[in-house]
Amino acid sequence: MTWMDLWKLAARNLQQRKLRVSLNLVGIVLGCTLVLMTAAGTAGVETAFQVLFDSSEFAREIEVRPSYGSHRQPPESEIQVSERIPPARRQRLREELTKAWQNENRTEFDYRIQPSQMDDLARIPHVIRVVPDFYLGCTVDTSTWMRAQDDLSETAVVALDVEQSVAERRLVAGRLAATESRQQDLMISELLAYQMGFATDAELQQVLGQPLTIRFRAQSGKMHSLNWLVSEQGVDYDLQTQLAGSIDKLVDNLDATELSEAEQMLIRRFAEAVLPSGGTQDVYQSRSFTICGVLRSEGKDMNLSSMFREFIGATDADLMIHHLAARELLRAQPDNTSLYGVKVVVDSTRNLRAAEESIKQLDLNAHSALWAWDRIEHQIQTVGTVIYALAAAVLLMAAVGISNTLFISVVQRTKEFGILKSVGMKDRDVLRLMLCEGVLLGAAGALLATLLSMLLAVCGRGLLSMYVNYRANTDVQGVFFELGPLSIAATWAFAIAVSTLASALPAWRASRLDPVVAMRQE
Amino acid sequence: MAPAKMSFPLAPPVSDSLVDIQSLSKCYSTSHTELAAVNELTLTIPRRQRVAIVGRSGSGKTTLLNLLAGLDQPTRGRITVNGHQLDQLTRSQLADYRCRQVGVVFQSYQLMPQLTALENVELPMTLAGTGRRLRRERALAALERVELSQRAAHLPSAMSGGEQQRVAIARAIVHQPALILADEPTGNLDSATAGTVERLLLETENLESTLILVTHDMALAERFGQRLITMQDGRIAADTTR
Ligand SMILES: Nc1ncnc2c1ncn2[C@@H]1O[C@H](COP(=O)(O)OP(=O)(O)O)[C@@H](O)[C@H]1O
Ligand SMILES: [Mg+2]
C-alpha cells in the first residue's frame, strides 16, 4: 500500500469519526495552547523587563559610596578562631571578628571619597559620567539687580546630571547648563524663583541671564566645632560667641584657679578640641554665576524605567550647577568639601557588572540596579518553570486521554480492521495507518493550537500593553506574548509525538488482530 | 502502472487442480469438549470449476471457506491454492495471497463504512499497491458488471442490502482472482434481491476464476453448481459432479 493511499485512508477515517476526533483535538489544543502561551508569556515578560532595563537611563547608574573601612583586611592573628569549632560557625565568627576589627580600625578617610578618586572612576572603561553627590551650603547674593531678601540667604548648591533625560523634562524656562559654559551657568529651582518674586512664564524669562553670586565657607574658623557641639541644644549663635569668649577667658586664667595641674591639663585639652587654635572667623569664598534656566522639582514624573532608580544624591535644591563644574569646584576645595557619594553612569547595562567590579577594586562600595534585575530575572524564571511544569502536566493528561480514546476506538473498530485484513491489508500497513492517524490528529491539534495562541497573543498583547502603558507611562509595544518560531516548532513536534505515541500501543494491538476473530465482532 | 511485484515466488502449478486440500482439520476446544468443525477433509478442485457446498447449519462450511481464504489457520492438514501452500506463508505473504489470489463475498457484505462503493471495490488493488488509474478503471468495470455504475460515489450506508452485496461481489472479482469464495451471499436478502445477486454471481462464469459457493439452501446449490459437495459434521458426505 502506498503512503499516499495510507494518508488518504487515515484522513478519511478521522473525517468519519468527527465527535471522537473533536474530543481528542480539544485535549491536544488545550495542552498545546497552554504550553505555547506559557512560553510566549514567560519569554515576553523576560524580554519586556530586559527592554525596560536596557532602555532605562537609571539602570545604567552605579551608586558609589565610601568603603567605611570594609576593604581593609585584618591580620590573620586578629581573626584566629579555635579549630575545635565546627567550620560553619568558625566561618561566621571570623566574619564577625573581621567586621569588629574593621570598625575599630576605621579612619576618617574611610567615610569619604577623595575628590581625586573621581578621576579614577572616570577612567574605568565604559564609564561615561561621574556625578558627585555634592551639597554645598551657601548664601545667595542678587543685590546687583534686585532688592535683597532675607529668607533667600541660606540655601545650597547641588550637582545636576544635565545629560539625564529627566533633567530636560524638568525645564520650566531657559536651558540646562552647557558643558562649554559650565563655570558660569547656574540653574535655579522654580520655588526659589517664586520666592524671589518671579512666578508667571513672562516673569521667569526675566530671571534668565541675571547674575547670581553664592557665598560659601571655604575654611571653617574656630567656632565651627563649638557650633557643631552646642547648636543641637538650641544655643543660638550670639550665645555661642559669648560661650567661646568665656572659654577663652577661662583657659587664659587657669593658673588663678585652685585646679590641680592634671585638672588644668584636662580643661586645656577640651578647649583645644572645641575651639581649635587658628583664626576665629570662617573663611568665605564667593562665586558668580549667570542664571541659565529654571527647573521644577523631579516630582512624580516617573515611568516604569525609574523602578531601577537608585536614590543617589540630592536632586532637589535651590541651586544647581553642571556636574562637571561641581567636580572642578570639589577639586579646588579639597579641605572642606566632603564627598559622601558619587554617581557613575556607564554606557550600557551590559557593562554594569564589569564597572561595578572595577569600582570595588578602588576600595569603594558600589551598588546598582543589577541586584534588583538579578532578582527579577530569577523570579520570572522560577514562575516560568512552575507554569511550564503545570502545562506539561496538562499535556500529559491530554496524552493519557488521547491514548485512552484511541484505544477504545481501536476496540470499536475491530471489525473494520478485520475487513481490511480480509481483503489483504498487511499488519505493517495497519500499524502505519494508525500512526498516520495519530500524526494527522497531532498536526491538526498543533495547527489549531498555533492559530488559537496567535489570536490569544494578539489580544493579550493589546490588553497588556494598554495596561502597562497606562500604569507605567511608557511605551513597550509588542514585547509581550512573542510567539517564537522555536516554541511553535517545539509544540508541533510535541503534539505530533504525543498523539503518535498514544496511538502506538492500540496500533500495535490492531495490527496483531486475526481477521476471522476481528470480523466476527459486531 | 504495472501491478506491484509479489513478495513471494510463484510456484508453478503442480497439477491441473487449483485447490488441493489434504486431511484438513480445524478444531475448537471449549472447556470440556473438543469440536472438529472441519474433520480430516480431503478435496481437490480443478480450475474454472463452479462448486456449491451445502450442508446444515453448523456442518463446518464457513470454517472451511475461511481456511481457504487464508483468514484462519487449520489445526492440521494442508491447503494448496494455485501452487501456494498456505501454512508455509508468513503473515505478510498470507496478506498478499488474500488480496491477489482470492476474492470473498461474505453473508453480511463487510464493506468499509467510510469508503464509497468505488473505493471499496478498489480496496484489494489499493492494498496491493496498484496505480490509481488502473485501479479506477478496473473498479468501474467491476461496478458495471454488478450494474451499479451510477452508485459509485455512494457510501454503503446509502445503499440497500442487495446493492451492498453487489458491491461486495464487485470487490471480490475486481482483481480477477483465481479463486472466488462466497459464503451464503444471499442469506441476508429477500428473495427478489437474492435472485439478482444470484444471477450476477452466476455471470462470473465467463471470468477465469474458480467459484465456490457455500449455502444451506439446497435449491440454490443445485441451480448453481457444476459440482455439488455436501458437508456433514466437518466431513464430505457426498460429492457429485454433473
Ligand atoms: N470460533 C469458534 N469457536 C468455537 N466453535 C466454533 C467457532 N466457529 C465455529 N464453531 C463451531 O464449529 C461448527 C461449524 O461452524 P460453521 O463453520 O460456522 O458452520 P456453518 O457455516 O456450516 O453453519 C459449529 O458447531 C460451530 O458452533
Ligand atoms: Mg456459516
Side-chain angles (χ1 to χ4, degrees), chain A residues 1 5 8-9 12-13 16 415-416 419-427 511-513 515-516 519, chain B residues 66 71-72 91-92 95-96 98-99 106 110-112 114-115 119 123-124 126-127 132 135 171:
Chain A
M1 192 168 185
D5 290 325
K8 262 200 270 182
L9 187 55
R12 192 61 76 79
N13 286 344
Q16 194 65 26
K415 190 176 168 183
E416 233 174 78
I419 299 172
L420 284 170
K421 290 195 136 189
S422 78
V423 288
M425 194 174 211
K426 294 180 183 178
D427 296 359
S511 76
R512 306 299 302 170
L513 283 172
V516 255
M519 273 199 300
Chain B
N66 285 343
L71 297 172
D72 206 356
R91 278 178 78 93
S92 168
D96 264 330
R98 287 197 291 263
C99 77
F106 299 98
Q110 310 285 28
L111 299 176
M112 290 293 283
Q114 66 268 48
L115 300 182
E119 286 164 337
L123 204 53
T126 308
L127 294 172
R132 250 170 68 89
R135 214 159 77 193
R171 182 180 67 187

Side-chain angles (χ1 to χ4, degrees), chain A residues 289-454:
Chain A
F289 295 95
T290 306
I291 298 171
C292 67
V294 180
L295 301 186
R296 61 179 165 82
S297 67
E298 196 165 280
K300 294 255 162 29
D301 181 24
M302 293 257 169
N303 56 33
L304 198 58
S305 69
S306 62
M307 70 190 288
F308 301 112
R309 167 137 211 175
E310 290 280 305
F311 288 93
I312 306 171
T315 53
D316 287 338
D318 283 341
L319 306 171
M320 290 151 279
I321 57 174
H322 193 289
H323 57 90
L324 284 176
R327 270 175 71 180
E328 284 153 20
L329 191 64
L330 275 164
R331 255 200 301 268
Q333 312 288 337
D335 293 346
N336 285 296
T337 33
S338 301
L339 194 52
Y340 298 108
V342 171
K343 182 179 86 176
V344 161
V345 184
V346 294
D347 54 2
S348 152
T349 47
R350 313 275 158 173
N351 300 318
L352 266 179
R353 219 175 285 273
E356 248 185 43
E357 278 314 306
S358 307
I359 293 168
K360 284 175 183 154
Q361 299 290 311
L362 294 174
D363 292 341
L364 294 169
N365 277 328
H367 298 285
S368 70
L370 262 185
W371 74 271
W373 170 247
D374 287 345
R375 242 164 250 200
I376 288 169
E377 201 173 32
H378 182 248
Q379 290 296 322
I380 294 170
Q381 275 162 5
T382 310
V383 171
T385 311
V386 170
I387 300 176
Y388 271 121
L390 283 175
V394 169
L395 262 191
L396 201 72
M397 272 152 58
V400 171
I402 293 162
S403 151
N404 193 27
T405 40
L406 281 173
F407 214 102
I408 294 168
S409 95
V410 167
V411 173
Q412 289 182 334
R413 288 164 72 193
T414 304
K415 190 176 168 183
E416 233 174 78
F417 291 120
I419 299 172
L420 284 170
K421 290 195 136 189
S422 78
V423 288
M425 194 174 211
K426 294 180 183 178
D427 296 359
R428 174 168 48 110
D429 285 339
V430 174
L431 189 70
R432 290 198 304 185
L433 176 69
M434 290 292 290
L435 293 181
C436 284
E437 287 185 26
V439 169
L440 282 180
L441 196 66
L447 179 68
L448 288 175
T450 308
L451 294 177
L452 183 62
S453 299
M454 282 174 166

